Amino acid sequence: MPSVAQKNHSLESLSSFFPLTFPIPNPETHPELVSTKDLHREEDLLRNPTSFRSWWTAINTTREAYFQLQKSERQSDLPEEVTVLLGPLATPLARISLQRLTYLYEAALVHFSGSFKLWKSYLNMRMSFVLGRLIIKKKSGGRKKLPEMRDALEDEKEDLEQWEGGLDPIIGWEEWRSLAATFERALMWLPKLPRLWFMYLSIFFHPRCPAPLFHTHARHTFDRALRTLPPSLHSRLWVRYLLWAELKGGETMVSVYRRYLVVDPSVTERFTSLLLSPSNSFPRPLEAAKLLLALARKASKGEYTSPEGKSPYQLLGDWIDVVEKFSDEVGFDVDETIESNTAAGEMESRSADDLNGIVKSVSADGELIRYAGPTIPVSSDGHTIRSYDEDEDPTSTRKLNVEQIIQKDGLAVYKDQAGRLWTGLATYWIKRGEFDRAKNTFERGLKTVLTIRDFKQIFDAYAEFGESLISAMMESLEDEEDEEDAAETEKELDARIAEFEDLTDRRPFLVNDVLIRRNPNDVQEWEKRIALWGEDDEKVAETYTKALEAINPRKATANLHRLYVNFAKFYEEGGTAGQAELDLDSARKVLEKATKVNYKTVEDLAEVWCEWSEMEIRHENYDEAVRVMQRAAAIPKNTKINYHDHALSAQARLFKSLKLWSFYVDLEESIGTVDTTKSVYDKILELRIANAQIIVNYAAFLEENNYFEDSFKVYERGVELFTFPVSFEIWNIYLSKFVKRYAGSKLERARDLFEQALEKCPAKSCKPLFLMYAKLEEDFGLAKRSMAIFDRATQVVADDDKFEMFTIYIAKATANYGLPATRPIYERALEVLPDRQTAEMCLRFAALERKLGEIDRARAIYAHASQFCDPRVNPQFWTEWNSFEIETGSEDTFREMLRIKRSVQAQFNTEASYLAAQTMAARHSTRKADEAAEVHDAMSVAEKQASTVKGPAFVAAKTNASPEGNGSDGAARTPAQADNVDEIHISDDDI
C-alpha cells in the first residue's frame, strides 16, 4: 500500500504537467511542437498565411495523425489513479498533441479570427481533451418546435450532454480555466452566434466542472447570454438556466426560478416540488405553501391552468399536504390564529358598515358613482389588478392562518368535497400538538358536511385520532413512575375512552344529520331520526317538532302527512312505549295543525282527516268522528273548482277528494242512519266525482235496506254519468238485479231497459247483454222475440264474437224449430263470417245436410268451403271431404274433388301462403304424427293400397251395401272386410 506521502508526491508530479496551453505554446517555448517532418508544412504556411485551406489541411493532418498514434499507443501501463485524474490527458501523446493542435489553431485564428468554423472546431478539440469523450445518444423522431416549458425541461434533461471521463478539476484547473478563457475569446469575436453560447454553457453541466466555474461564473455567463442573444432564443436559454439552477440548488435556484416565474408561472408547481425535495438541504415549505395557495386561488378564478392537468381543488389539496407535513414552519399557532380570526371578523364587520354607509342615490348629472362594494382597481386595458396579499407573497416571512384560509378558500367554495379540507385542518392541529382544537375541528366537520363520503372520511380520521391518542396515553401510563402523575394520566385516559365510545355511539345520529342537512325536506330521514331515539319520549317529541318546523311542505318528499299522523299517534298511544298517559288533546292539536298544511297532493290532506276521524272512532267518540268528517267535506259555494289545478291549495280542492268522501260514506254506513248515508251519497253524485264502484255501493246499500226502486234509480243515474265501457258494468249489474227482482212481472220495462243499454253499447261489449236479453224473452216472453234478438245479435256483435253467436243461435233454433229451420241461419253465417271461420261453419252445415239426406247440397257446401282452405294449412277439411266422397260419392265426384283440391292449392301457392303453411306445419307436426298413427279409415287404407296397385280403390255410391255397411245408400268396404270385385283402377294420368 502506498503511503500518504507517496500519494501527495504523485499528485504533485501530476500537477507539474500543467498548464499545457497557457501561455499558448509555440516552437520557441516548446521545441518539440515542430519536428523535421513538419518543416515543409511550416514553410508552406509562412508563404500562404492567408490561405484558410492550408491552415485547415494542416490542422486536420495533425489531428488525424494523433488519432492514428492514439490507437496504436498502449495505455495499460498507466496506473488507474493517473487515468482517473488526468482523463484524456493521461498519456504524453495526448498532452503533446493538445499543445500542437493548440499552436496550429491559435496561429490560424490570428489570420481568421472571425471564422465560426475554425472557432467551433477549436473549441470542440479543447473540450474533448478536458471534458472527455462525448457520448452521442441515439434519438428517434423529432422534438416539438415550441413545447411548453414543463415538457421542455423534461426533454432537455434527457438530452443533456454526457461525457466519459474528464480532467480532474483540481489537478487540471489551469486547463479548465484556459478552456473557459478560450470560450470568452471566441464570444468576444462572435457574440451573436447561439451555437457557441450553448457549447459554452454545456461545460457547466459536466460533473467535474470546477467550483469557480460552476457557481458565480456560470450564473454570470447565463445572464450575459440572455442579454446578448435575441428574445427568440431565450426560451432555450431558460431551459438550460433552470436545469443548471436545479443542479446548483440553494439560494441560486430560488433566485433563478423567481426571475423566471415573473415571466412564465407555468413551472410554479415544479418549483414548489423542488423547494420541498428531499435532496434540497434547505427546504422552504412556507414559500412553497404560498406559491401553491396563489395557484389554487388563480385556478379557482380561471386565471391559471395547471400544466399537469390539476383542478383548483387538487391544487388546494397539495397546499394542505404541505401544511400537514410542515405545520410548524407554515402556520400560526393557536393564539396567533385566534388573534388573526378576531381581527378578520372586526374588519369584515367594519367593511359591512362602510358598505351600508356609501349607498347613494343615482345622480342626475350622469356622474359615475359606486353603489356598494369595495373599489376594484382596473388597469388601462380594462383588466382587474390583483391587490397585494401577503399570504401569496413567497418573499414574505409571515406565516399563514391555515384555519382561515381553509374556511375561506376551501369550505366556502367546495361544500360537497369538504371531507379532505376538515381532515387536513384537524391533522394540522394534531401535528402542532393542539389535540383539543383538533377535536373541535373534527366535531365542526361532522356537523357541517353534506355528503356521506365526506362524513366517512372525517369520521374515520377522527376515530383513528382517538385510537392513536388512547394508545399513546396507555404507553405513557406504563412508563409513568410517579403515582400522582399516573393517577392523573389514568383519569384523562378514562375520559378519552369515554369520548371515543360516545363517538361510536353517536355515529348513526351523525350520519342521519348529514342526510338531513343535505335535504331538510326528506321525510323518510326524519322518520329514521325519530326511530333512532327509541323509547326516549322527550327526544322523540322534540324531533317531531323540529322536523315539522324544518320541512317545507311544497318541497317535502312523499308521505309528509304520515309524519303528522305518527306524531298524533305518539300522544294518542302514550309515547313510544305506551307508558305515559294518553293525551288526546295534544293529538288533536297536531292533527288540527296538519289539516292547515298545504300538501302537494289533496290525497295527503284527505288522509289526515281520515286518520283524525279514525282516532276518534278508536276512542268511541263517534259523534266527534262524524263532526270531523263534516268539517273536512264541507262544500264551498263555488263548486266549479278544478281538482287538478295545482295553483290552488290542497284545502281548496279537498271537497272533491273521492278518498275523503268514500271514508265519510263508509263511516255513515257504519254508525249513521239510512238518511244520512243517502245524503252523503247524493252529495258525491252532485259533485260528479263518483266512480262506478260508488254507484254500485250506493245501489247495494239501498237494496240491503229494501229501497229497491231507489237503488234502480241510482243505477240509472250511474249509466247517465258514465259512458262505455264503464257503464257496461253498471248496466250488467242493473239488468241482472232488475230481472232477478221482477222476473216477468215488468217485462215491458225490462225490454225498454235492454233497448236503452244496447242503444249505445259498442259492438265488442254487447254480446253479454244480448244473451241476457234473449234469456229474458226465452224465460218470460216469446220464443219468436228471443230468436229475433239472436238474429239481431249476429248482425251487431263484433267479428270475433259472431261465430259463437251464430253457434248459439243455431242451437236455439234447432231446439225451438228443428234442424231444417237452421238452413237460412247457416246460409247467412256463410255470408257474414270471415274466411277463417267460414270453413268450420261449412263443415257443420254439410254435416247437417248429410243428416237430412241432402248429399248434393252437402257436396256443394264442401265445394264452396274449399276456396277458403289451403290443403297445407287445413288438411282436416280435405280429409273429411275425402271421407265424404268415398262414403257417398262416385268416380266423377271424386275426380272433381281432386281437381278442386289441385286448383285451390295452386291458388294458395304464393310466398305468403307457403310461409303460413310452413308455420302451421311446424306447429302441428307432432299432432299430425299422432293422428296418422291412430286414424285407420277407409281413405287411408285405400291410399296404402294405391301404392301397390297404382290407383285408388273406389266403390260406387249406388252399390248395395252389405249388412256391415255404414249407410243405407252404400259405403266403402275395406280390404279387411271383403274383396272388392268392382274395384276401379285410376292411373295418375287420369286424375
Side-chain angles (χ1 to χ4, degrees):
M1 294 292 293
S3 63
V4 176
Q6 291 176 342
K7 287 185 178 181
N8 294 335
H9 178 71
S10 61
L11 291 176
E12 292 176 358
S13 62
L14 292 176
S15 301
S16 63
F17 296 148
F18 304 99
L20 295 174
T21 58
F22 183 82
I24 298 173
N26 55 66
E28 295 179 358
T29 59
H30 298 76
E32 65 274 10
L33 295 182
V34 179
S35 63
T36 57
K37 297 179 181 180
D38 300 329
L39 293 177
H40 180 70
R41 181 198 66 191
E42 292 294 327
E43 292 176 357
D44 184 50
L45 292 175
L46 289 173
R47 285 194 299 267
N48 301 298
T50 59
S51 175
F52 181 83
R53 183 174 182 179
S54 299
W55 287 103
W56 190 251
T57 302
I59 292 172
N60 286 335
T61 302
T62 306
R63 187 168 58 241
E64 293 295 332
Y66 164 68
F67 290 152
Q68 294 296 329
L69 293 174
Q70 187 181 23
K71 292 179 181 180
S72 61
E73 185 180 21
R74 296 179 59 187
Q75 299 182 4
S76 59
D77 297 338
L78 295 174
E80 183 179 357
E81 296 84 0
V82 175
T83 305
V84 172
L85 293 175
L86 298 183
L89 297 175
T91 63
L93 175 62
R95 293 193 288 271
I96 191 61
S97 298
L98 172 61
Q99 291 178 332
R100 288 175 179 174
L101 290 172
T102 302
Y103 159 67
L104 289 176
Y105 274 110
E106 291 290 347
L109 288 172
V110 172
H111 303 284
F112 307 101
S113 57
S115 174
F116 168 72
K117 181 177 180 180
L118 194 59
W119 276 112
K120 181 182 176 183
S121 178
Y122 182 30
L123 293 173
N124 282 329
M125 184 274 296
R126 295 289 294 267
M127 290 173 65
S128 65
F129 279 101
V130 176
L131 305 182
R133 186 175 64 86
L134 179 65
I135 299 175
I136 300 175
K137 301 177 182 179
K138 294 183 180 179
K139 301 179 182 179
S140 59
R143 63 170 62 182
K144 296 180 181 179
K145 188 174 181 180
L146 293 172
E148 296 291 337
M149 179 56 69
R150 172 176 171 270
D151 299 331
L153 286 171
E154 297 295 334
D155 296 341
E156 190 67 25
K157 192 172 184 179
E158 295 179 359
D159 297 340
L160 281 177
E161 296 85 352
Q162 295 182 6
W163 293 271
E164 182 179 351
L167 183 61
D168 183 75
I170 298 176
I171 296 176
W173 159 243
E174 295 293 340
E175 292 304 319
W176 279 94
R177 185 175 65 174
S178 178
L179 175 62
T182 306
F183 270 107
E184 294 290 344
R185 287 193 295 119
L187 292 174
M188 180 184 66
W189 288 103
L190 302 171
K192 298 296 184 181
L193 290 180
R195 182 60 185 165
L196 296 182
W197 281 105
F198 285 111
M199 290 175 61
Y200 190 13
L201 298 176
S202 65
I203 70 173
F204 303 133
F205 292 91
H206 196 283
R208 287 193 169 189
C209 183
L213 296 179
F214 181 70
H215 298 301
T216 305
H217 179 77
R219 179 167 57 83
H220 289 170
T221 304
F222 276 109
D223 292 340
R224 285 191 293 121
L226 289 172
R227 290 194 299 268
T228 304
L229 294 178
S232 60
L233 296 173
H234 281 193
S235 59
R236 294 180 59 189
L237 283 172
W238 272 113
V239 171
R240 291 271 178 158
Y241 202 178
L242 294 178
L243 290 177
W244 173 81
E246 292 178 10
L247 292 175
K248 181 66 172 64
E251 289 288 344
T252 304
M253 179 196 70
V254 175
S255 176
V256 172
Y257 262 95
R258 282 179 181 175
R259 287 174 57 191
Y260 183 75
L261 291 179
V262 175
V263 182
D264 181 14
S266 62
V267 294
T268 307
E269 297 175 46
R270 183 184 181 94
F271 181 38
T272 56
S273 62
L274 292 173
L275 291 175
L276 303 174
S277 176
S279 60
N280 188 1
S281 58
F282 297 100
R284 296 168 177 260
L286 179 60
E287 183 173 354
K290 290 187 176 184
L291 288 172
L292 287 173
L293 178 61
L295 291 182
R297 289 177 175 177
K298 290 179 181 179
S300 63
K301 297 177 182 179
E303 300 175 1
Y304 173 77
T305 302
S306 172
E308 299 180 4
K310 293 183 179 180
S311 64
Y313 180 78
Q314 290 175 317
L315 292 173
L316 188 62
D318 294 342
W319 175 80
I320 293 176
D321 292 338
V322 176
V323 169
E324 289 178 349
K325 188 174 181 181
F326 304 95
S327 56
D328 293 334
E329 294 88 346
V330 173
F332 289 161
D333 57 15
V334 175
D335 296 335
E336 292 174 334
T337 300
I338 295 174
E339 182 180 354
S340 177
N341 292 340
T342 304
E346 294 177 355
M347 184 177 296
E348 289 181 0
S349 62
R350 286 199 302 269
S351 299
D353 295 339
D354 294 341
L355 291 178
N356 294 330
I358 63 175
V359 178
K360 302 178 181 179
S361 59
V362 181
S363 61
D365 56 358
E367 180 183 358
L368 181 63
I369 62 174
R370 178 165 52 89
Y371 290 98
T375 57
I376 301 176
V378 179
S379 61
S380 59
D381 56 355
H383 293 85
T384 302
I385 301 175
R386 293 176 56 86
S387 59
Y388 174 75
D389 189 349
E390 195 171 0
D391 291 342
E392 301 178 13
D393 184 5
T395 61
S396 174
T397 58
R398 188 177 73 89
K399 296 183 179 180
L400 303 175
N401 186 346
V402 176
E403 194 171 90
Q404 184 178 355
I405 292 173
I406 289 180
Q407 184 67 38
K408 178 181 177 182
D409 298 304
L411 299 174
V413 180
Y414 310 105
K415 297 180 180 179
D416 57 342
Q417 301 178 12
R420 176 70 182 93
L421 303 176
W422 283 111
T423 55
L425 180 57
T427 306
Y428 166 75
W429 290 120
I430 292 173
K431 291 292 185 67
R432 297 192 68 100
E434 302 293 342
F435 299 137
D436 292 336
R437 198 163 185 87
K439 175 186 172 183
N440 294 335
T441 302
F442 279 125
E443 291 290 343
R444 287 167 55 198
L446 293 175
K447 293 178 181 179
T448 55
V449 292
L450 301 177
T451 62
I452 295 297
R453 179 191 60 191
D454 291 340
F455 169 81
K456 185 176 182 302
Q457 191 173 4
I458 297 174
F459 186 86
D460 292 344
Y462 194 4
E464 184 179 358
F465 162 67
E467 291 176 355
S468 60
L469 187 59
I470 291 172
S471 300
M473 295 182 68
M474 292 177 67
E475 292 177 0
S476 64
L477 184 61
E478 293 177 357
D479 300 335
E480 193 69 50
E481 297 180 357
D482 191 353
E483 295 183 357
E484 294 182 359
D485 294 341
E488 185 177 354
T489 304
E490 186 175 357
K491 183 178 180 181
E492 186 178 357
L493 177 61
D494 294 338
R496 295 294 183 182
I497 293 175
E499 290 177 359
F500 183 76
E501 293 176 350
D502 178 65
L503 175 64
T504 306
D505 295 337
R506 286 190 296 129
R507 191 180 193 283
F509 292 91
L510 295 173
V511 172
N512 184 259
D513 284 339
V514 174
L515 297 174
I516 290 177
R517 278 196 301 273
R518 184 174 62 183
N519 183 12
N521 301 308
D522 193 337
V523 177
Q524 287 70 30
E525 292 302 327
W526 281 109
E527 291 177 346
K528 292 178 183 178
R529 178 74 173 199
I530 294 167
L532 288 174
W533 289 114
E535 297 181 358
D536 191 344
D537 292 344
E538 183 178 354
K539 290 293 184 180
V540 169
E542 180 183 350
T543 306
Y544 269 121
T545 304
K546 187 177 180 181
L548 297 179
E549 291 176 354
I551 294 175
N552 184 351
R554 303 302 296 178
K555 298 180 181 179
T557 57
N559 297 326
L560 173 61
H561 65 286
R562 297 305 309 172
L563 204 59
Y564 284 96
V565 171
N566 294 335
F567 192 15
K569 285 184 179 180
F570 169 77
Y571 286 114
E572 177 192 357
E573 296 172 357
T576 54
Q579 302 297 327
E581 296 182 0
L582 305 185
D583 191 355
L584 290 181
D585 291 336
S586 297
R588 290 189 183 101
K589 290 179 181 178
V590 172
L591 292 173
E592 182 71 32
K593 183 179 179 180
T595 58
K596 298 177 182 178
V597 176
N598 186 17
Y599 300 98
K600 289 192 287 188
T601 63
V602 180
E603 299 304 318
D604 292 346
L605 180 59
E607 183 71 21
V608 172
W609 285 104
C610 295
E611 291 288 346
W612 190 355
S613 181
E614 285 185 355
M615 183 188 73
E616 301 295 348
I617 294 172
R618 286 194 293 269
H619 295 277
E620 300 181 356
N621 299 326
Y622 303 116
D623 293 338
E624 184 64 25
V626 174
R627 281 194 291 271
V628 169
M629 295 311 299
Q630 287 176 348
R631 286 181 56 194
I635 301 176
K637 293 181 180 180
N638 183 16
T639 59
K640 295 182 180 181
I641 292 176
N642 185 2
Y643 177 78
H644 301 287
D645 186 3
H646 295 282
L648 300 175
S649 64
Q651 286 76 8
R653 298 176 286 150
L654 179 63
F655 73 97
K656 284 195 174 184
S657 172
L658 183 58
K659 183 177 184 178
L660 180 71
W661 285 101
S662 298
F663 181 85
Y664 189 11
V665 77
D666 289 343
L667 179 64
E668 289 292 350
E669 286 187 21
S670 302
I671 62 177
T673 62
V674 175
D675 293 336
T676 57
T677 306
K678 288 174 63 178
S679 175
V680 176
Y681 271 119
D682 290 338
K683 289 180 180 179
I684 296 175
L685 296 178
E686 290 174 3
L687 292 173
R688 303 181 71 85
I689 61 174
N691 56 16
Q693 189 63 46
I694 294 293
I695 299 297
V696 174
N697 292 344
Y698 189 12
F701 169 75
L702 294 174
E703 185 179 355
E704 290 174 0
N705 291 276
N706 299 324
Y707 291 89
F708 298 105
E709 284 298 328
D710 290 342
S711 69
F712 295 151
K713 291 179 181 179
V714 171
Y715 283 124
E716 291 176 0
R717 293 181 65 180
V719 297
E720 291 178 0
L721 288 174
F722 300 101
T723 58
F724 285 92
V726 178
S727 62
F728 167 75
E729 302 295 338
I730 301 176
W731 275 115
N732 199 7
I733 299 173
Y734 180 21
L735 294 174
S736 61
K737 294 284 187 181
F738 189 88
V739 172
K740 181 180 179 181
R741 171 68 181 166
Y742 294 110
S745 60
K746 294 186 178 182
L747 187 58
E748 289 299 328
R749 181 178 173 186
R751 289 170 178 168
D752 184 58
L753 290 175
F754 274 107
E755 292 296 336
Q756 291 182 28
L758 293 172
E759 182 179 358
K760 297 181 180 180
C761 184
K764 63 180 181 180
S765 304
C766 63
K767 173 187 166 186
L769 298 181
F770 274 113
L771 294 177
M772 192 185 303
Y773 192 7
K775 185 71 169 56
L776 174 68
E777 292 291 349
E778 185 178 353
D779 293 342
F780 306 107
L782 301 175
K784 182 178 180 182
R785 294 181 64 91
S786 178
M787 292 298 102
I789 292 171
F790 277 117
D791 183 68
R792 177 183 168 190
T794 57
Q795 303 173 13
V796 176
V797 296
D799 292 341
D800 294 339
D801 297 329
K802 283 184 178 181
F803 184 85
E804 185 180 357
M805 187 58 68
F806 271 111
T807 302
I808 298 173
Y809 186 15
I810 291 169
K812 293 295 183 181
T814 303
N816 292 329
Y817 303 112
L819 289 175
T822 61
R823 280 175 175 164
I825 302 175
Y826 274 114
E827 293 174 357
R828 195 159 63 82
L830 297 181
E831 297 175 357
V832 174
L833 290 176
D835 294 346
R836 57 188 175 84
Q837 296 176 348
T838 300
E840 179 66 23
M841 190 61 70
C842 284
L843 291 177
R844 295 185 183 185
F845 193 9
L848 170 66
E849 295 296 349
R850 291 182 64 182
K851 288 181 181 180
L852 296 177
E854 297 291 341
I855 302 302
D856 293 336
R857 291 177 63 89
R859 183 174 290 110
I861 294 170
Y862 279 122
H864 174 72
S866 65
Q867 60 182 322
F868 310 113
C869 300
D870 187 351
R872 293 165 297 187
V873 180
N874 299 313
Q876 183 180 2
F877 169 80
W878 294 98
T879 301
E880 186 171 344
W881 191 5
N882 199 353
S883 301
F884 169 76
E885 292 295 344
I886 291 175
E887 294 174 3
T888 62
S890 63
E891 180 179 353
D892 294 336
T893 59
F894 191 81
R895 288 177 181 274
E896 182 64 18
M897 183 270 294
L898 294 177
R899 185 192 65 77
I900 293 174
K901 183 177 181 181
R902 289 196 304 273
S903 176
V904 172
Q905 187 169 0
Q907 179 183 354
F908 282 96
N909 192 18
T910 60
E911 185 179 358
S913 62
Y914 180 68
L915 293 176
Q918 283 187 327
T919 304
M920 296 300 295
R923 292 180 180 177
H924 302 294
S925 59
T926 306
R927 188 179 67 184
K928 288 181 179 180
D930 296 339
E931 291 177 356
E934 295 177 358
V935 177
H936 297 285
D937 55 0
M939 190 61 196
S940 62
V941 175
E943 290 177 352
K944 290 181 180 179
Q945 187 178 3
S947 64
T948 58
V949 298
K950 298 182 180 180
F954 189 83
V955 180
K958 295 182 179 180
T959 304
N960 293 331
S962 63
E964 295 81 10
N966 293 332
S968 60
D969 55 348
R973 308 172 81 190
T974 65
Q977 294 173 342
D979 294 335
N980 187 0
V981 296
D982 296 329
E983 179 180 6
I984 301 174
H985 297 281
I986 303 176
S987 65
D988 295 338
D989 297 335
D990 295 335
I991 297 176

